[in-house]
Amino acid sequence: TRGQVINFTARANDTTNNFKTNDTIVTVANTPPAGLSIIQPTSNQYTNLQPLGLNVTFAADPDNDVTTINYYINGRLNQTSLTNTTFNASDGYYILNVSITDGVDHHSNVSVNFTLDTTLPIVNATLNKSLTNITVNDVINITANATDAVGLSFGQIIVNISGYKQYFNFSLNGAASAQFSQNITINVTRGQVINFTARVNDTTNNFKTNDTI
């Protein structure tokens, strides 16, 4: 390993038994850190995890040196550790850079970007008829309006008529605001209970529901 001394000797004898030696002495150099990669978060990840795990992997040091990990967030040193760590922050877009050192040499930085989003989307729902005036064979339209600062993933309308549930799904394709609706025919008689639910998920998988009974 690093620091060990090796002596290479070359010797030659002629036919009269004269001889000569040539010595080359070398000191084993340091092996730089290698194999660094970021496991978590992944590049372009949207996450609502708090605290967020910062997980890296790298090759074992062949010189048995201690490897120190430097974590940078948006270009500034955030933490120095010998192990994986966690990151606490408010919602936003971040760039994680990681470097490692064995105390002699450094591995070049590796980086990923990620977005923290712990804010629930907003969803409101309306019906085309008063709650107190719904009767058998009515066609009820439920319309949901949803917004999210990062982006909406999908919407869902759930109709629960006295325990029988119907699901209607809508792709929202990352939009900041969206509207989706569904017509429902009331096929039960007086006294039955109907629960209309509008649900929306954002691209980080935060979700919000709005119930109308």
Side-chain angles (χ1 to χ4, degrees):
T1 57
R2 174 171 54 87
Q4 300 295 305
V5 177
I6 303 173
N7 186 357
F8 296 97
T9 299
R11 170 175 170 154
N13 284 50
D14 63 16
T15 54
T16 319
N17 210 31
N18 299 305
F19 68 89
K20 185 69 180 285
T21 61
N22 181 286
D23 293 295
T24 301
I25 298 175
V26 299
T27 301
V28 177
N30 182 65
T31 302
L36 174 62
S37 63
I38 298 173
I39 299 174
Q40 177 70 25
T42 57
S43 190
N44 298 314
Q45 181 177 354
Y46 287 79
T47 179
N48 56 12
L49 295 177
Q50 279 290 278
L52 175 64
L54 304 181
N55 299 334
V56 303
T57 185
F58 48 86
D61 192 284
D63 301 312
N64 297 317
D65 294 323
V66 174
T67 301
T68 300
I69 312 166
N70 297 310
Y71 299 91
Y72 297 83
I73 297 292
N74 294 345
R76 300 184 65 178
L77 181 63
N78 181 265
Q79 298 179 54
T80 296
S81 175
L82 300 181
T83 62
N84 292 325
T85 188
T86 58
F87 175 60
N88 289 281
S90 56
D91 287 3
Y93 174 86
Y94 296 93
I95 299 174
L96 169 66
N97 292 284
V98 179
S99 68
I100 56 175
T101 178
D102 61 3
V104 179
D105 292 302
H106 288 76
H107 190 290
S108 57
N109 285 3
V110 294
S111 64
V112 296
N113 59 276
F114 61 94
T115 299
L116 283 178
D117 174 24
T118 60
T119 303
L120 301 183
I122 297 171
V123 60
N124 295 296
T126 59
L127 303 179
N128 64 332
K129 195 170 183 180
S130 168
L131 293 177
T132 59
N133 196 32
I134 296 176
T135 59
V136 64
N137 296 322
D138 279 348
V139 177
I140 301 301
N141 175 272
I142 176 172
T143 298
N145 292 283
T147 59
D148 188 78
V150 174
L152 299 164
S153 176
F154 70 91
Q156 188 175 63
I157 289 176
I158 306 168
V159 181
N160 183 346
I161 302 178
S162 294
Y164 174 73
K165 292 183 180 181
Q166 294 175 279
Y167 296 86
F168 305 91
N169 299 313
F170 306 86
S171 178
L172 304 181
N173 301 313
S177 63
Q179 182 180 89
F180 51 98
S181 65
Q182 183 66 41
N183 289 332
I184 306 296
T185 299
I186 304 303
N187 57 5
V188 291
T189 55
R190 183 187 61 201
Q192 300 295 308
V193 176
I194 304 172
N195 185 359
F196 297 98
T197 299
R199 168 175 171 151
V200 65
N201 282 49
D202 66 16
T203 52
T204 316
N205 213 31
N206 300 304
F207 71 90
K208 187 72 179 287
T209 60
N210 183 290
D211 292 294
T212 303
I213 298 176

